[in-house]
Amino acid sequence: MPDYEFINLHEYFKKFTHIMLGRRKYLNLITSRGCSFKCIYCHNTFGKKVRFIPEESIIKTFEYLNKKYHFQHIEVVDDIFNIKEDRVRELVSRIIRTDKNISFSYPNGFRIDIMS
């Protein structure tokens, strides 16, 4: 887990906001990098191989940060969050069990054509 002690998130929340969310505490969450699809309009910043952050690491980070800062929203910024449906279901379920008042958005990568 990154060392968040060097970031004053209380001050960050006072100065920065997500335009679509208004002034709310939100967490940018990255659970994977890369996308195996070859869309001609998309960037190739993280490559075509999908690499997943271990689920336990994501949950520990979320629990730690949420306990300390009480987020209201999670913005998942993966290249393609729903590439593995069972993984998405498990992650979202575990986060919701931790905090039922949290909401999600996926502005970066969520493929409708592989969603069930």
Side-chain angles (χ1 to χ4, degrees):
M1 179 174 12
D3 189 352
Y4 288 94
E5 297 306 311
F6 292 106
I7 303 170
N8 186 339
L9 288 179
H10 291 294
E11 288 300 314
Y12 179 84
F13 290 132
K14 290 178 187 176
K15 295 178 182 176
F16 298 98
T17 187
H18 189 286
I19 254 175
M20 299 299 285
L21 301 174
R23 193 158 297 279
R24 292 171 45 169
K25 290 183 186 176
Y26 72 97
L27 168 66
N28 282 330
L29 184 64
I30 298 172
T31 73
S32 67
R33 292 186 300 168
C35 175
S36 57
F37 290 87
K38 295 175 176 42
C39 304
I40 61 171
Y41 56 82
C42 197
H43 68 83
N44 191 20
T45 305
F46 296 118
K48 294 300 178 189
K49 180 181 178 192
V50 180
R51 293 159 325 278
F52 299 99
I53 296 173
E55 292 173 34
E56 282 305 314
S57 177
I58 295 164
I59 297 301
K60 283 181 183 178
T61 300
F62 169 75
E63 288 175 341
Y64 168 79
L65 292 173
N66 196 38
K67 184 177 181 180
K68 189 168 183 172
Y69 298 106
H70 308 289
F71 291 106
Q72 298 166 313
H73 186 83
I74 294 177
E75 182 179 71
V76 180
V77 292
D78 293 19
D79 286 325
I80 180 165
F81 180 58
N82 62 327
I83 191 88
K84 279 181 79 177
E85 183 178 348
D86 57 335
R87 184 174 185 273
V88 169
R89 288 180 187 273
E90 180 64 24
L91 278 174
V92 171
S93 295
R94 289 184 66 184
I95 289 171
I96 289 172
R97 282 195 300 268
T98 303
D99 185 343
K100 295 196 183 319
N101 294 317
I102 203 108
S103 61
F104 294 83
S105 64
Y106 313 93
N108 216 32
F110 198 92
R111 288 192 64 106
I112 195 77
D113 61 336
I114 63 171
M115 190 169 87
S116 65

